[in-house]
Amino acid sequence: TITGYLSRLWFFLENIMKSELLPEIGFVRIRTVLQIIPVSRSSWYLGIQQNKYPKPVKLGPRSSAWRVEDIRALIDKFGGEQ
């Protein structure tokens, strides 16, 4: 059921927040984001266009990353949808 899925997802996300995948502060690249948030790369970028997911920060002409605070806020938002 959707409720069971959401509770398993929340448990997974809580553990991720405590792990080394997500530093206390700083930035994370797309590879790390997709290890934390279980969606495909194309779904992630579609979610950004639809304002479901945070926008990246440009680090250089060909380099982007996401603020850890934004990813943590997204995880908290997922937890509130249980």
Side-chain angles (χ1 to χ4, degrees):
T1 66
I2 190 73
T3 306
Y5 172 76
L6 288 175
S7 62
R8 287 191 308 275
L9 176 62
W10 178 242
F11 177 77
F12 174 74
L13 292 175
E14 276 185 321
N15 288 332
I16 289 293
M17 288 181 75
K18 297 173 190 169
S19 78
E20 294 180 12
L21 274 180
L22 203 54
E24 288 295 316
I25 58 171
F27 297 92
V28 289
R29 303 293 301 268
I30 186 68
R31 180 178 297 167
T32 304
V33 171
L34 296 179
Q35 287 178 326
I36 296 168
I37 309 296
V39 296
S40 68
R41 180 182 291 257
S42 59
S43 294
W44 177 256
Y45 282 108
L46 181 62
I48 292 170
Q49 289 178 346
Q50 296 172 345
N51 293 319
K52 287 174 48 178
Y53 303 136
K55 292 183 177 6
V57 174
K58 292 294 278 181
L59 301 178
R62 294 175 32 132
S63 178
S64 297
W66 283 260
R67 291 179 191 90
V68 169
E69 308 87 68
D70 293 344
I71 300 302
R72 287 185 187 277
L74 181 63
I75 291 168
D76 288 341
K77 178 183 166 190
F78 283 152
E81 292 179 1
Q82 287 188 29

